[in-house]
Amino acid sequence: MARIFRSATAIISALTALAWLIAVLSGRNDDAAAAMGFIPARLSGAEPPWPAVPALLTPLTATIVHANLLHLATNLVVLVWCGNAVERALGRSSLVVVYLVGAYAASAAQWLSDPHSVVPMIGASGAISAVMAAFALSFGRPHMATKSIRLNRWLHIGHLLLAWVVIQLMVGWVAGGQGFLLATPAHIGGFIAGLLLQRPLLLWRYRTA
């Protein structure tokens, strides 16, 4: 048990599940979404009519609020699958960096899409999108399209980003045009953060190797 909880992925997953369970058992899940979810309008200066955590912290607190058990379970399965692998490749602290920066990048993308929206964005999927991007780069291999290794890597990054954007837009379309409510911009923003962080964090881990 002690070995399991030396894993950053396990700790993040456990805290997220515990937060959801407490909110549900207390009957305050809707209140948690309003108080802890990321609401773009708050970052634009709107004051909430309810007690809430500071707006600048909501990109983090939003990651521990989920709509229902399916929402939570889906996110945790992906986080455990990709997070453990990324943690092995980049290290525990790097996994935490990817997750936290991904959370803020996701919120920034959601804010840019509609700075005056009052719809709370909840869930860890934006941060997990960053972890998925780091996973894809850590374990995928670029095609040798040119003689330049660096160019091939950037082509690989571009291919991953394009595929991710298309998938997110298709999911929004299938859902009946509710892509914004599904946090499509957040998923794209988080993924971009993960793509940009993976290489520097990999080099940092093996800087003395």
Side-chain angles (χ1 to χ4, degrees):
M1 182 66 69
R3 182 177 181 182
I4 292 175
F5 281 94
R6 284 200 295 265
S7 161
T9 303
I11 293 172
I12 293 171
S13 300
L15 290 176
T16 302
L18 179 61
W20 178 81
L21 187 61
I22 291 172
V24 170
L25 292 179
S26 64
R28 305 296 296 272
N29 206 40
D30 290 340
D31 294 337
M36 302 171 66
F38 175 76
I39 301 175
R42 289 194 62 201
L43 208 62
S44 299
E47 291 296 329
W50 53 80
V53 300
L56 288 177
L57 292 180
T58 55
L60 298 181
T61 57
T63 65
I64 60 173
V65 182
H66 288 79
N68 50 49
L69 181 58
L70 179 61
H71 187 201
L72 173 72
T74 301
N75 277 345
L76 292 187
V77 166
V78 177
L79 175 59
V80 170
W81 180 269
C82 295
N84 280 325
V86 170
E87 195 168 344
R88 288 194 300 270
L90 304 182
R92 180 170 57 179
S93 59
S94 291
L95 184 277
V96 174
V97 169
V98 170
Y99 190 86
L100 296 181
V101 174
Y104 274 94
S107 294
Q110 197 75 9
W111 179 82
L112 286 171
S113 297
D114 187 354
H116 303 292
S117 172
V118 295
V119 178
M121 182 188 77
I122 58 173
S125 54
I128 293 171
S129 294
V131 176
M132 293 176 67
F135 174 86
L137 277 183
S138 296
F139 297 98
R141 292 293 179 268
H143 295 292
M144 297 297 104
T146 74
K147 294 181 179 180
S148 170
I149 295 177
R150 179 174 296 182
L151 179 57
N152 288 336
R153 183 174 182 279
W154 280 107
L155 289 173
H156 183 52
I157 291 173
H159 169 76
L160 289 173
L161 178 57
L162 178 61
W164 184 254
V165 170
V166 170
I167 289 171
Q168 295 306 310
L169 293 177
M170 288 180 64
V171 169
W173 179 75
V174 170
Q178 298 299 307
F180 187 83
L181 295 179
L182 292 173
T184 296
H187 295 166
I188 295 172
F191 198 82
I192 291 172
L195 291 177
L196 295 177
L197 285 170
Q198 188 269 347
R199 182 68 173 177
L201 291 174
L202 181 66
L203 293 176
W204 174 257
R205 185 179 192 192
Y206 295 105
R207 64 194 182 282
T208 58

